Amino acid sequence: MSKQPVEQFLDSSRLKQAYINGEWIALSGNAPFDVINPATEEPAATIHLGNRDDLNKAVAAAKAAFPIWANTPVETRLAALDKIIELIEARTELLANLMSLEMGATLAYARGTQVPLAAAHIRVARENLAKYEFTEMRGTTAVTREPIGVAGLITPWNWPLYQVTAKVGPALAVGCSIILKPSELSPLSALAFAQIIHDAGVPAGVFNLVNGNGIDVGEPMASHPDIDMISFTGSTRAGVLVAQAAAPTVKRVGQELGGKSPNILLPDADFASAVGPGVQAGMRNNGQSCSAPTRMLVPRERLAEVEKLAAESAESIVIGLADNELATHGPVANKPQFERVQTMIQRGIDEGARCVTGGTGRPEGFDRGYYVRPTVFSDVTPDMDIAQEEIFGPVLCLIPYDSVEHAIQIANDTVYGLAAHVQSTDLDAARKVARQIRCGQVLINYPTWDPQAPFGGFKQSGSGREYGIEGLEEYLEIKAIVGFETQA
């Protein structure tokens, strides 16, 4: 019997290689590293991790390829992006299976959300490139935007393909060359994406991938003098280290970091239809999203009503194995995250918050795997750790407020400022509140995801923007050519 595509992929030598200068090559580092399936706690695959020597090879290849790719016609880059989109869609099943193995997404969620949203980032980059004006005239001065150069991309484990394409799409579109370091905890879909880049005919050296950890590859990427910018998505703690490493070379650093996003239910909101979607949004991808609205702010007099609705929604979540078509949620992605979530749930109990549903330990019926009970806390005060720290799991805090002004104060009372939600039947009221929340993106009444909406943070949630035109321009430098035209 012939092997299925995922089996063929896991048996292939590329898991132990880097993709550099258009070829799969052996890593100098060659350190084996098990990728753990969070549903079984057993290895799903073994990859090899690279080191500084591997990174240097990738940087040399990207540096040599940059001037050629930067000067290719827009039509050539558009055609490459079209082919990448086609191949992502054609290989949905392989990519979905790999993400299920590496970070625990159910197959249904990986097929229906993780892969399509990843393809959407490439599609948006293609659409924006097709209409982008790289030169504008200001009198006799030409203001041009040119690719910044070699881009180092460091991506996280929670949305392993989605975050890759959010960076690779615009970088490729404008003419940058790339070195990608995916998270070593969930690298499989990124390796499959590298093969897609190869099969799409992207020229050698334009895209390179080196697996590795933060010490041996991530830090040298940030400090490398021949890398012109770093785009990093991950924790605020790690983001600070990346910025410090990058500082001596004065390169651009774009960072999408942590969040503790509020969801304000204004007094006039339709609570019966607003609470449930808010719970599901906070627990989407098992709460492993930096923008997850994990603080639900509600009028104090409506708290009991919200508790009941929130518990019902959390208890409707079906936890199961990847191939269970009825399952909405699998395990959290890795052991450190499982332990972190368990610690924070216990801390919430110790702090005096009231556990409405969920709690510590695995859900009933699971004695292995990094499965977490969807948990709702009430009577949470803004100073509690569970209201201030990013838990990154399916844990929701219900925080009562006494006035709209009080709600806005609570919403802004964290070190983060990534995203927020506002629910109201009065659109003008929602808009007024949205303008007062210090964060990079506000969503009113659970709108459809918009990949053209710029995304990024205020405060310790990062700097720079991804998605949309703003995400494209992160990879561009501005040049003014004064006297470009003769004065009349």
Side-chain angles (χ1 to χ4, degrees):
M1 181 181 293
S2 62
K3 292 183 178 180
Q4 296 297 312
V6 67
E7 295 173 313
Q8 294 174 4
F9 183 87
L10 294 175
D11 286 344
S12 69
S13 59
R14 75 194 69 170
L15 269 66
K16 301 176 182 179
Q17 297 175 322
Y19 182 75
I20 297 175
N21 204 29
E23 298 180 318
W24 292 98
I25 65 172
L27 285 156
S28 300
N30 206 31
F33 183 86
D34 287 337
V35 178
I36 302 299
N37 181 344
T40 65
E41 302 183 45
E42 299 293 336
T46 300
I47 64 168
H48 282 183
L49 301 181
N51 60 18
R52 189 182 296 264
D53 290 339
D54 300 302
L55 174 68
N56 287 338
K57 293 175 187 176
V59 173
K63 185 177 180 181
F66 168 65
I68 301 170
W69 184 245
N71 288 290
T72 56
V74 166
E75 291 73 20
T76 300
R77 300 200 297 273
L78 289 172
L81 294 168
D82 284 337
K83 188 62 177 178
I84 292 168
I85 295 166
E86 176 188 329
L87 291 173
I88 290 174
E89 292 174 344
R91 299 179 189 178
T92 291
E93 197 63 18
L94 171 63
L95 294 166
N97 273 275
L98 292 176
M99 282 187 279
S100 180
L101 289 173
E102 69 189 351
M103 56 81 62
T106 65
L107 285 173
Y109 190 73
R111 288 188 196 109
T113 300
Q114 293 265 10
V115 176
L117 296 189
H121 284 310
I122 304 292
R123 187 173 293 107
V124 164
R126 190 246 184 256
E127 292 171 355
N128 290 336
L129 173 62
K131 62 186 179 183
Y132 194 78
E133 296 292 339
F134 287 88
T135 301
E136 64 171 309
M137 296 302 302
R138 297 182 188 173
T140 61
T141 295
V143 179
T144 69
R145 288 172 170 80
E146 303 175 359
I148 195 168
V150 176
L153 313 180
I154 303 176
T155 56
W157 47 259
N158 57 318
W159 288 87
L161 184 62
Y162 172 96
Q163 290 289 352
V164 166
T165 58
K167 300 179 189 298
V168 171
L172 277 182
V174 302
C176 290
S177 56
I178 294 163
I179 300 103
L180 170 67
K181 189 202 89 65
S183 169
E184 68 274 22
L185 299 177
S186 55
L188 303 179
S189 57
L191 287 165
F193 179 74
Q195 188 63 47
I196 285 173
I197 292 283
H198 181 86
D199 294 345
V202 174
V206 172
F207 174 91
N208 307 272
L209 182 150
V210 179
N211 272 316
N213 59 33
I215 294 174
D216 295 326
V217 177
E219 186 279 332
M221 280 181 70
S223 62
H224 203 292
D226 289 335
I227 291 180
D228 298 290
M229 75 165 287
I230 289 288
S231 179
F232 172 83
T233 298
S235 70
T236 297
R237 178 194 59 80
V240 169
L241 297 176
V242 167
Q244 289 172 338
T249 54
V250 200
K251 59 170 56 72
R252 181 179 300 172
V253 179
Q255 300 189 93
E256 194 266 280
L257 307 176
K260 193 67 180 177
S261 300
N263 184 4
I264 302 177
L265 277 58
L266 293 178
D268 69 298
D270 181 351
F271 285 69
S273 60
V275 174
V279 174
Q280 297 302 317
M283 297 186 183
R284 183 178 69 137
N285 201 36
N286 259 328
Q288 298 170 127
S289 297
C290 47
S291 60
T294 54
R295 292 185 296 149
M296 184 175 286
L297 280 53
V298 303
R300 192 175 301 277
E301 65 273 12
R302 306 289 294 273
L303 183 60
E305 175 188 356
V306 172
E307 288 175 2
K308 182 176 183 296
L309 292 168
E312 289 173 354
S313 182
E315 290 164 6
S316 73
I317 288 173
V318 179
I319 297 172
L321 299 175
D323 58 357
N324 181 347
E325 293 294 333
L326 298 178
T328 58
H329 291 60
V332 296
N334 51 66
K335 184 177 181 180
Q337 193 54 35
F338 175 79
E339 292 174 344
R340 161 76 175 170
V341 175
Q342 296 299 320
T343 296
M344 292 304 295
I345 292 174
Q346 184 59 54
R347 188 176 301 174
I349 295 169
D350 294 342
E351 288 181 309
R354 185 158 44 83
C355 188
V356 175
T357 190
T360 58
R362 294 179 174 85
E364 185 177 351
F366 292 90
D367 57 5
R368 65 183 310 186
Y370 305 132
Y371 293 93
V372 173
R373 299 170 67 190
T375 298
V376 176
F377 282 109
S378 189
D379 290 329
V380 177
T381 58
D383 61 331
M384 290 181 178
D385 288 348
I386 59 169
Q388 291 289 327
E389 296 186 24
E390 186 174 44
I391 299 173
F392 230 56
V395 181
L396 178 70
C397 297
L398 303 181
I399 304 176
Y401 66 80
D402 298 312
S403 66
V404 173
E405 292 73 22
H406 186 212
I408 295 167
Q409 177 189 342
I410 294 170
N412 289 330
D413 185 24
T414 77
V415 298
Y416 299 113
L418 188 57
H421 288 245
V422 180
Q423 317 307 323
S424 177
T425 56
D426 182 342
L427 189 55
D428 286 339
R431 290 169 177 159
K432 183 178 179 180
V433 170
R435 290 182 181 277
Q436 297 177 74
I437 302 175
R438 288 186 49 76
C439 69
Q441 189 177 92
V442 182
L443 299 91
I444 296 176
N445 293 335
Y446 307 120
T448 302
W449 179 67
D450 181 3
Q452 287 284 8
F455 182 72
F458 288 23
K459 300 186 284 186
Q460 291 186 27
S461 285
S463 60
R465 292 295 180 268
E466 294 189 307
Y467 317 165
I469 292 293
E470 291 76 10
L472 198 79
E473 291 179 337
E474 284 289 305
Y475 297 90
L476 294 171
E477 278 284 22
I478 298 173
K479 177 187 289 182
I481 307 177
V482 183
F484 187 85
E485 289 189 353
T486 303
Q487 291 185 351

